[in-house]
Amino acid sequence: RNTIPKDVFVVIGDLKRKMIVDSVGKFSFKLEKIKENIPFHFVAAGYESVSHEINVIYRPQIQSIIANLTYPPYLNKKNETLKNTGSFTIPEGTGVNWLLKTQETEKVKVLFNKEIIKTIKDNNKYSFEKTLKNTSIYEIELSNKHSKNMDNIIYSIQIIKDRFPTVKLESYKDTVLYNYILLGGALIDDHGISNCQLFYRIKAKNNKKENTYIKQNIPFSKNQTSQKLFYQLNICLLYTSPSPRD
């Protein structure tokens, strides 16, 4: 004759826990925050059930993220590697190569401003690259045959725009001997100046034909984003030199 036991216990590993009586013949026990597979069986009235097991299905996740930055050559800036940061600020035109190390992941989808970017898989590692010219938002989606990543993985990249160099220039003439022209002002560029040259040409009053421009290098500092400019152009030397021809 079958009888309903008064008490039922669940045995998990070395722990024996009494189950809650919900109603006649119905018992329950709640397990929370399960992180690994759990074998268990039941005990009641001197009898033991067969062994059972709770199998945990793992969600895909990112273990690490590396961004290799290749700066534009004209910046003369050493390339860098950023570890475990998805959001950052870079100069316009920087090339970025990402390397993701994942866990329990079968597929990775990357969207830049909703546009899908090609990824390359190598076991549990995924890589993708892009040269950035505008501030962007990108999203990473991970998946396996059971599920997707629980939370949205969204990062932002701020771009420092490359502005044109600014030259503020005024000229001052030698009003006494007329021997020179003094040029003064400022050079400004957000990434520093790489070259500064003065172009001029000599034109006689009675000569309608225009001579070609003459190039003259002006001293400056490459390491400064803002600097003062002073240059003295000797007029006497200009007229003692032969004029270039077209």
Side-chain angles (χ1 to χ4, degrees):
R1 180 180 177 181
N2 295 327
T3 59
I4 298 174
K6 179 181 178 182
D7 296 315
V8 176
F9 297 86
V10 58
V11 180
I12 303 172
D14 296 329
L15 298 177
K16 183 179 179 181
R17 300 292 180 87
K18 186 176 181 180
M19 301 182 70
I20 297 173
V21 180
D22 295 324
S23 61
V24 177
K26 292 185 178 181
F27 303 86
S28 65
F29 184 82
K30 185 178 181 180
L31 291 173
E32 296 181 336
K33 298 180 180 180
I34 300 175
K35 296 182 179 180
E36 57 186 9
N37 295 346
I38 298 178
F40 67 95
H41 64 276
F42 300 102
V43 174
Y47 294 93
E48 291 188 8
S49 72
V50 297
S51 181
H52 302 276
E53 187 173 27
I54 298 175
N55 294 314
V56 176
I57 298 175
Y58 294 98
R59 289 184 180 273
Q61 59 181 328
I62 295 177
Q63 286 186 309
S64 65
I65 179 170
I66 295 175
N68 295 305
L69 310 181
T70 302
Y71 295 113
Y74 69 87
L75 294 181
N76 294 316
K77 187 177 177 70
K78 186 178 180 181
N79 296 335
E80 292 184 80
T81 297
L82 304 179
K83 295 183 179 181
N84 294 323
T85 178
S87 299
F88 43 83
T89 300
I90 54 176
E92 180 182 3
T94 299
V96 185
N97 179 276
W98 285 266
L99 179 63
L100 304 179
K101 186 177 181 181
T102 64
Q103 189 174 31
E104 304 296 332
T105 302
E106 296 175 356
K107 185 179 179 180
V108 170
K109 183 167 72 172
V110 179
L111 299 97
F112 258 90
N113 300 324
K114 304 302 181 181
E115 177 186 354
I116 297 177
I117 300 297
K118 179 183 178 181
T119 59
I120 298 175
K121 181 179 180 180
D122 181 15
N123 294 321
N124 66 331
K125 296 179 181 179
Y126 296 81
S127 63
F128 57 97
E129 60 185 14
K130 188 174 180 63
T131 298
L132 294 147
K133 296 183 178 180
N134 298 297
T135 294
S136 302
I137 300 292
Y138 70 101
E139 182 177 357
I140 302 174
E141 295 181 1
L142 311 177
S143 62
N144 59 30
K145 62 182 179 181
H146 300 295
S147 66
K148 295 183 177 181
N149 47 289
M150 181 180 296
D151 300 317
N152 292 333
I153 305 173
I154 301 176
Y155 299 110
S156 65
I157 300 178
Q158 301 297 317
I159 298 298
I160 302 172
K161 281 293 186 179
D162 183 20
R163 300 182 179 89
F164 287 106
T166 300
V167 180
K168 298 179 180 179
L169 189 65
E170 293 185 8
S171 61
Y172 305 92
K173 296 180 180 179
D174 177 7
T175 57
V176 179
L177 300 176
Y178 298 97
N179 288 334
Y180 65 86
I181 297 176
L182 180 63
L183 303 177
L187 298 175
I188 302 172
D189 187 74
D190 50 351
H191 297 300
I193 304 296
S194 60
N195 193 17
C196 182
Q197 295 175 325
L198 171 67
F199 290 82
Y200 65 90
R201 64 185 177 188
I202 302 171
K203 184 177 180 181
K205 290 183 178 180
N206 299 327
N207 185 6
K208 295 182 179 181
K209 186 178 181 180
E210 294 183 350
N211 293 325
T212 57
Y213 281 95
I214 301 171
K215 179 176 67 175
Q216 184 68 46
N217 293 325
I218 296 180
F220 68 97
S221 175
K222 290 186 177 181
N223 298 324
Q224 297 181 14
T225 57
S226 178
Q227 57 189 289
K228 293 182 179 180
L229 169 67
F230 293 102
Y231 186 74
Q232 182 173 301
L233 188 63
N234 193 320
I235 299 176
C236 296
L237 294 178
L238 299 181
Y239 288 99
T240 57
S241 301
S243 298
R245 297 180 180 179
D246 290 330

